[in-house]
Amino acid sequence: MFKFNIVLGILIFLIIACKEEKEASKEVVISEKSDSLNLKTIVKTEIPRKTFSWLGNYSCNFLRMKEESADPRGWGMIRIKIKKDSVKFGLDTYIENFGKDLTVVNQSEDKIILALKNKKDSTFIITKNKHKYFLKSNFINQTVGETEIYELKKE
């Protein structure tokens, strides 16, 4: 009974201490395990990761072959699909046509950094400025042969 009162007192103290903190995102999880006669209390503090609204489909058309602007084959399309558990990149032009798996390296409210799954130095940086999205990628620059910033449309 004495052990139970101590555990109850610690639990009340933790709840009061958590309420006094200014961060409302902390969550206290308490579980009890019983090993024959021993009672163990485990306290874990979990801070949920902040999520941003990067989920969705992004795309843009761009002029792949500058000298062929009147020819529809001179144009290309970039597609990025960001889902909860995966990110897919696609490049469709007259010269190239492929898809790659990406991983999220870092994200904030106005910027997300992606990289190829097997090559972390091949990056894709999407920045948000009001309701416009811009893509810079050293992988696309190497593939296409020109340094560009692409304006994406979010669907």
Side-chain angles (χ1 to χ4, degrees), residues 9-27:
I10 291 172
L11 177 63
I12 292 171
F13 175 74
L14 287 173
I15 291 172
I16 292 171
C18 286
K19 284 185 179 180
E20 289 177 2
E21 288 185 11
K22 294 190 180 192
E23 288 185 49
S25 63
K26 288 193 177 181
E27 177 181 325

Side-chain angles (χ1 to χ4, degrees), residues 97-112:
N97 188 357
F98 58 84
K100 300 282 185 185
D101 289 329
L102 305 177
T103 60
V104 177
V105 175
N106 195 357
Q107 64 178 328
S108 65
E109 266 186 85
D110 58 349
K111 181 193 231 181
I112 185 168

